[in-house]
Amino acid sequence: MSANGAAKVEPTPKLIVSDLAVFYDSKKAMGPVSLDIVGQHVTALIGPSGCGKSTFLRSLNRMNELIPGCRVEGSVKLDGDPIYGPGIDPVAVRRRIGMVFQRSNPFPKSIQENVAYGLRIGGITDASDIAGRVERALTQAALWEEVRDRLHESALGLSGGQQQRLCIARALAVEPEVLLMDEPASALDPIATAHIEELINELSANYTVVIVTHNMQQAARVADYTAFFYLGELVEFDRTDVIFTKPSNSRTEDYITGRFG
Amino acid sequence: MIRANTSREHTNREYEQELRRLREQLLLMGAKVEEIINGSIRALIDRDSTLAEQMIAVDRKINQLEIAIDELCMQVLARRQPVASDLRFLTTALKLVTDLERIGDLGVNICERVLELNGEPPLKPYIDLPNMMREVQEMLHEALDAFVAADVERAQRVIARDKNVDAYYTQIFRELLTYMMEDPRNIFRATRLQSIAKYLERIGDHATNLGELVIFMVKGKDIRHAGKLSDAG
């Protein structure tokens, strides 16, 4: 941690979070938190339920303001551009910072249409352009080989793991720079989880990934950096191997070794 | 009961029990190793062949404990995926048993030489050898205590004492050489005594390893093959 309390890391940060605090009505849910998120790496957010990690994640692409009574203070900068502020379109922010949720939520449409949805909203109408982008997104999400022959079948016919990869493809189709993942594998079996984790690893070559997970081993496996949240505060942020072998804060130690509460 | 780093217990009681059992087994093994070393030393000084044979038998128990502790470590690693201080404790335990087992073997070697020496009249009164033995005995005892108390300073003091043991070895070796040069009939006994001094010197090295492991376990810092004390603070 540096003098001003912000967790600093060596490579260029993609996202710079400064004194970010989130309130629901007058109650503070999280923060103030300052944290740099490194580009083209995976950062995991861990902590017990209610610690503020999901609130933090959602505030990185302005999802919190969809909740009535929610107020956000502080600043988040993406490559130096503030994402909060008058005149900044949250939809434009979310195009650069995509999100994948805990439960896969495909639309009751075909596989093809699920992935193309964001493209059409973004104004792309050319059929061959859309087809190319759909294939690229499905390939990046490691799903193309499994669905190439049934692109026009309903997405709801896919397995849970496939549906989650479809949602990742849908998020990737609009070519975001940052991918936020809120427990993306918590509803999946170990094999499907392994697929998603492998995928996260591959995606980090081109994308900046921020993942919330309750599974500590998952954080240890996929993340380059890990942030530990507790009671709405950032307790410790460091390289993942340091967090899991020699954390410097005793609350981190207690949590990851299972000595909490 | 000893704790590696923290006085807090795991939420999972079964896991807590497994770690406690592992600590107890390590302490039991440490106690057995101390018993062998102390016994082998007394067997030499008192020329007690019965005691030497008893100590050789204790080593079987040490070997059994080594296997039991290794199995327990594997089980905890596989089932609990320990992290942070628990992970350091587990990896320390795996290395600790190796050093302890070797110390036990060296104790057996001392007893074997004692049995050979007891078939002969004494070569000379022992002066430096009992001092060297006391030094090694204390190093071993202190290293185990440092492990129990997770005490870095005590572990550092153990490491610092190794040079005394090395100095004793050089001194004893030089003295025994003069006996051998004086009369070739001394060679059988002098080489046995020289071997014992060498075993003690090796035990000192293993006790030093134990000290280094304790520092790693507590601080998460590997001080082996480095500037030892200067780097350990």
mmCIF file of all heavy atoms in Angstrom, chain A residues 162-186:
data_model
loop_
_atom_site.group_PDB
_atom_site.id
_atom_site.type_symbol
_atom_site.label_atom_id
_atom_site.label_comp_id
_atom_site.label_asym_id
_atom_site.label_seq_id
_atom_site.Cartn_x
_atom_site.Cartn_y
_atom_site.Cartn_z
ATOM 1 N N GLN A 162 -22.184 -24.410 -20.874
ATOM 2 C CA GLN A 162 -22.226 -23.814 -22.216
ATOM 3 C C GLN A 162 -22.969 -22.478 -22.184
ATOM 4 O O GLN A 162 -22.568 -21.523 -22.844
ATOM 5 C CB GLN A 162 -22.904 -24.772 -23.195
ATOM 6 C CG GLN A 162 -22.035 -25.981 -23.551
ATOM 7 C CD GLN A 162 -22.797 -27.013 -24.352
ATOM 8 O OE1 GLN A 162 -24.012 -27.186 -24.187
ATOM 9 N NE2 GLN A 162 -22.093 -27.717 -25.234
ATOM 10 N N GLN A 163 -24.066 -22.435 -21.412
ATOM 11 C CA GLN A 163 -24.821 -21.181 -21.312
ATOM 12 C C GLN A 163 -23.947 -20.082 -20.730
ATOM 13 O O GLN A 163 -24.010 -18.927 -21.183
ATOM 14 C CB GLN A 163 -26.052 -21.369 -20.412
ATOM 15 C CG GLN A 163 -27.148 -22.194 -21.076
ATOM 16 C CD GLN A 163 -28.451 -22.173 -20.280
ATOM 17 O OE1 GLN A 163 -28.598 -21.409 -19.338
ATOM 18 N NE2 GLN A 163 -29.387 -23.017 -20.680
ATOM 19 N N GLN A 164 -23.115 -20.439 -19.737
ATOM 20 C CA GLN A 164 -22.267 -19.409 -19.139
ATOM 21 C C GLN A 164 -21.223 -18.937 -20.159
ATOM 22 O O GLN A 164 -20.935 -17.752 -20.251
ATOM 23 C CB GLN A 164 -21.603 -19.940 -17.852
ATOM 24 C CG GLN A 164 -20.875 -18.909 -17.015
ATOM 25 C CD GLN A 164 -21.766 -17.777 -16.506
ATOM 26 O OE1 GLN A 164 -22.449 -17.112 -17.296
ATOM 27 N NE2 GLN A 164 -21.770 -17.553 -15.208
ATOM 28 N N ARG A 165 -20.677 -19.869 -20.941
ATOM 29 C CA ARG A 165 -19.712 -19.461 -21.962
ATOM 30 C C ARG A 165 -20.405 -18.631 -23.054
ATOM 31 O O ARG A 165 -19.804 -17.717 -23.633
ATOM 32 C CB ARG A 165 -19.017 -20.686 -22.560
ATOM 33 C CG ARG A 165 -17.827 -21.140 -21.702
ATOM 34 C CD ARG A 165 -17.130 -22.346 -22.255
ATOM 35 N NE ARG A 165 -17.852 -23.568 -21.960
ATOM 36 C CZ ARG A 165 -17.851 -24.645 -22.723
ATOM 37 N NH1 ARG A 165 -17.163 -24.663 -23.844
ATOM 38 N NH2 ARG A 165 -18.535 -25.719 -22.377
ATOM 39 N N LEU A 166 -21.697 -18.939 -23.304
ATOM 40 C CA LEU A 166 -22.459 -18.133 -24.266
ATOM 41 C C LEU A 166 -22.589 -16.695 -23.752
ATOM 42 O O LEU A 166 -22.443 -15.728 -24.515
ATOM 43 C CB LEU A 166 -23.849 -18.747 -24.490
ATOM 44 C CG LEU A 166 -24.745 -17.980 -25.468
ATOM 45 C CD1 LEU A 166 -24.184 -18.051 -26.893
ATOM 46 C CD2 LEU A 166 -26.169 -18.517 -25.435
ATOM 47 N N CYS A 167 -22.837 -16.568 -22.445
ATOM 48 C CA CYS A 167 -22.955 -15.223 -21.864
ATOM 49 C C CYS A 167 -21.622 -14.482 -21.943
ATOM 50 O O CYS A 167 -21.584 -13.268 -22.139
ATOM 51 C CB CYS A 167 -23.437 -15.300 -20.418
ATOM 52 S SG CYS A 167 -25.119 -15.906 -20.313
ATOM 53 N N ILE A 168 -20.520 -15.234 -21.780
ATOM 54 C CA ILE A 168 -19.202 -14.622 -21.936
ATOM 55 C C ILE A 168 -19.017 -14.176 -23.387
ATOM 56 O O ILE A 168 -18.561 -13.060 -23.659
ATOM 57 C CB ILE A 168 -18.082 -15.592 -21.484
ATOM 58 C CG1 ILE A 168 -18.184 -15.826 -19.967
ATOM 59 C CG2 ILE A 168 -16.698 -15.062 -21.858
ATOM 60 C CD1 ILE A 168 -17.282 -16.914 -19.422
ATOM 61 N N ALA A 169 -19.446 -15.038 -24.346
ATOM 62 C CA ALA A 169 -19.349 -14.676 -25.774
ATOM 63 C C ALA A 169 -20.178 -13.429 -26.056
ATOM 64 O O ALA A 169 -19.756 -12.533 -26.790
ATOM 65 C CB ALA A 169 -19.831 -15.842 -26.639
ATOM 66 N N ARG A 170 -21.362 -13.343 -25.433
ATOM 67 C CA ARG A 170 -22.237 -12.189 -25.639
ATOM 68 C C ARG A 170 -21.556 -10.924 -25.129
ATOM 69 O O ARG A 170 -21.626 -9.868 -25.762
ATOM 70 C CB ARG A 170 -23.555 -12.428 -24.894
ATOM 71 C CG ARG A 170 -24.632 -11.441 -25.245
ATOM 72 C CD ARG A 170 -25.939 -11.830 -24.603
ATOM 73 N NE ARG A 170 -25.851 -11.818 -23.143
ATOM 74 C CZ ARG A 170 -26.757 -12.367 -22.341
ATOM 75 N NH1 ARG A 170 -27.804 -13.000 -22.844
ATOM 76 N NH2 ARG A 170 -26.606 -12.310 -21.043
ATOM 77 N N ALA A 171 -20.880 -11.055 -23.989
ATOM 78 C CA ALA A 171 -20.166 -9.894 -23.439
ATOM 79 C C ALA A 171 -18.977 -9.515 -24.322
ATOM 80 O O ALA A 171 -18.668 -8.342 -24.485
ATOM 81 C CB ALA A 171 -19.690 -10.192 -22.018
ATOM 82 N N LEU A 172 -18.314 -10.545 -24.909
ATOM 83 C CA LEU A 172 -17.124 -10.274 -25.726
ATOM 84 C C LEU A 172 -17.467 -9.721 -27.101
ATOM 85 O O LEU A 172 -16.644 -9.042 -27.717
ATOM 86 C CB LEU A 172 -16.303 -11.565 -25.903
ATOM 87 C CG LEU A 172 -15.674 -12.166 -24.640
ATOM 88 C CD1 LEU A 172 -14.968 -13.483 -24.996
ATOM 89 C CD2 LEU A 172 -14.681 -11.194 -24.014
ATOM 90 N N ALA A 173 -18.689 -10.022 -27.585
ATOM 91 C CA ALA A 173 -19.043 -9.664 -28.965
ATOM 92 C C ALA A 173 -18.927 -8.165 -29.222
ATOM 93 O O ALA A 173 -18.549 -7.746 -30.306
ATOM 94 C CB ALA A 173 -20.467 -10.141 -29.276
ATOM 95 N N VAL A 174 -19.247 -7.350 -28.202
ATOM 96 C CA VAL A 174 -19.177 -5.900 -28.406
ATOM 97 C C VAL A 174 -17.757 -5.373 -28.194
ATOM 98 O O VAL A 174 -17.530 -4.168 -28.189
ATOM 99 C CB VAL A 174 -20.175 -5.149 -27.484
ATOM 100 C CG1 VAL A 174 -21.596 -5.526 -27.851
ATOM 101 C CG2 VAL A 174 -19.893 -5.449 -26.019
ATOM 102 N N GLU A 175 -16.817 -6.302 -28.049
ATOM 103 C CA GLU A 175 -15.398 -5.970 -27.919
ATOM 104 C C GLU A 175 -15.101 -4.977 -26.802
ATOM 105 O O GLU A 175 -14.624 -3.875 -27.049
ATOM 106 C CB GLU A 175 -14.846 -5.481 -29.267
ATOM 107 C CG GLU A 175 -14.963 -6.570 -30.320
ATOM 108 C CD GLU A 175 -14.503 -6.130 -31.714
ATOM 109 O OE1 GLU A 175 -14.374 -4.914 -31.940
ATOM 110 O OE2 GLU A 175 -14.272 -7.015 -32.534
ATOM 111 N N PRO A 176 -15.377 -5.404 -25.571
ATOM 112 C CA PRO A 176 -15.057 -4.533 -24.436
ATOM 113 C C PRO A 176 -13.554 -4.585 -24.154
ATOM 114 O O PRO A 176 -12.840 -5.387 -24.741
ATOM 115 C CB PRO A 176 -15.840 -5.176 -23.288
ATOM 116 C CG PRO A 176 -15.836 -6.630 -23.623
ATOM 117 C CD PRO A 176 -15.882 -6.714 -25.130
ATOM 118 N N GLU A 177 -13.091 -3.723 -23.261
ATOM 119 C CA GLU A 177 -11.679 -3.758 -22.875
ATOM 120 C C GLU A 177 -11.513 -4.470 -21.538
ATOM 121 O O GLU A 177 -10.486 -5.080 -21.259
ATOM 122 C CB GLU A 177 -11.144 -2.325 -22.760
ATOM 123 C CG GLU A 177 -11.187 -1.597 -24.094
ATOM 124 C CD GLU A 177 -11.193 -0.091 -23.910
ATOM 125 O OE1 GLU A 177 -10.329 0.422 -23.180
ATOM 126 O OE2 GLU A 177 -12.082 0.570 -24.491
ATOM 127 N N VAL A 178 -12.566 -4.332 -20.724
ATOM 128 C CA VAL A 178 -12.525 -4.937 -19.386
ATOM 129 C C VAL A 178 -13.714 -5.880 -19.263
ATOM 130 O O VAL A 178 -14.801 -5.591 -19.765
ATOM 131 C CB VAL A 178 -12.610 -3.845 -18.281
ATOM 132 C CG1 VAL A 178 -12.576 -4.481 -16.894
ATOM 133 C CG2 VAL A 178 -11.486 -2.834 -18.446
ATOM 134 N N LEU A 179 -13.485 -7.017 -18.629
ATOM 135 C CA LEU A 179 -14.564 -7.977 -18.409
ATOM 136 C C LEU A 179 -14.714 -8.177 -16.901
ATOM 137 O O LEU A 179 -13.774 -8.587 -16.225
ATOM 138 C CB LEU A 179 -14.214 -9.296 -19.098
ATOM 139 C CG LEU A 179 -15.343 -10.278 -19.357
ATOM 140 C CD1 LEU A 179 -16.430 -9.638 -20.219
ATOM 141 C CD2 LEU A 179 -14.809 -11.531 -20.030
ATOM 142 N N LEU A 180 -15.904 -7.857 -16.391
ATOM 143 C CA LEU A 180 -16.184 -8.055 -14.972
ATOM 144 C C LEU A 180 -16.961 -9.357 -14.830
ATOM 145 O O LEU A 180 -17.885 -9.610 -15.591
ATOM 146 C CB LEU A 180 -17.026 -6.898 -14.419
ATOM 147 C CG LEU A 180 -16.516 -5.487 -14.698
ATOM 148 C CD1 LEU A 180 -17.501 -4.442 -14.141
ATOM 149 C CD2 LEU A 180 -15.133 -5.276 -14.094
ATOM 150 N N MET A 181 -16.577 -10.181 -13.894
ATOM 151 C CA MET A 181 -17.254 -11.462 -13.714
ATOM 152 C C MET A 181 -17.661 -11.626 -12.264
ATOM 153 O O MET A 181 -16.821 -11.594 -11.370
ATOM 154 C CB MET A 181 -16.328 -12.605 -14.136
ATOM 155 C CG MET A 181 -15.857 -12.500 -15.582
ATOM 156 S SD MET A 181 -14.718 -13.839 -15.976
ATOM 157 C CE MET A 181 -15.514 -14.509 -17.415
ATOM 158 N N ASP A 182 -18.960 -11.816 -12.044
ATOM 159 C CA ASP A 182 -19.471 -11.967 -10.681
ATOM 160 C C ASP A 182 -19.746 -13.446 -10.421
ATOM 161 O O ASP A 182 -20.767 -13.966 -10.853
ATOM 162 C CB ASP A 182 -20.740 -11.125 -10.510
ATOM 163 C CG ASP A 182 -21.111 -10.968 -9.045
ATOM 164 O OD1 ASP A 182 -20.471 -11.622 -8.196
ATOM 165 O OD2 ASP A 182 -22.038 -10.195 -8.751
ATOM 166 N N GLU A 183 -18.830 -14.114 -9.763
ATOM 167 C CA GLU A 183 -18.924 -15.551 -9.489
ATOM 168 C C GLU A 183 -19.361 -16.341 -10.719
ATOM 169 O O GLU A 183 -20.386 -17.022 -10.693
ATOM 170 C CB GLU A 183 -19.902 -15.799 -8.347
ATOM 171 C CG GLU A 183 -19.447 -15.149 -7.057
ATOM 172 C CD GLU A 183 -20.261 -15.645 -5.889
ATOM 173 O OE1 GLU A 183 -20.356 -16.873 -5.757
ATOM 174 O OE2 GLU A 183 -20.785 -14.817 -5.144
ATOM 175 N N PRO A 184 -18.600 -16.286 -11.780
ATOM 176 C CA PRO A 184 -19.060 -16.846 -13.052
ATOM 177 C C PRO A 184 -19.155 -18.368 -13.051
ATOM 178 O O PRO A 184 -19.783 -18.935 -13.943
ATOM 179 C CB PRO A 184 -17.989 -16.378 -14.049
ATOM 180 C CG PRO A 184 -16.764 -16.223 -13.221
ATOM 181 C CD PRO A 184 -17.244 -15.734 -11.880
ATOM 182 N N ALA A 185 -18.548 -19.031 -12.075
ATOM 183 C CA ALA A 185 -18.547 -20.499 -12.114
ATOM 184 C C ALA A 185 -19.219 -21.118 -10.894
ATOM 185 O O ALA A 185 -19.186 -22.326 -10.721
ATOM 186 C CB ALA A 185 -17.111 -21.009 -12.234
ATOM 187 N N SER A 186 -19.866 -20.282 -10.080
ATOM 188 C CA SER A 186 -20.361 -20.832 -8.808
ATOM 189 C C SER A 186 -21.529 -21.796 -9.001
ATOM 190 O O SER A 186 -21.809 -22.597 -8.127
ATOM 191 C CB SER A 186 -20.752 -19.707 -7.858
ATOM 192 O OG SER A 186 -21.804 -18.969 -8.412
#
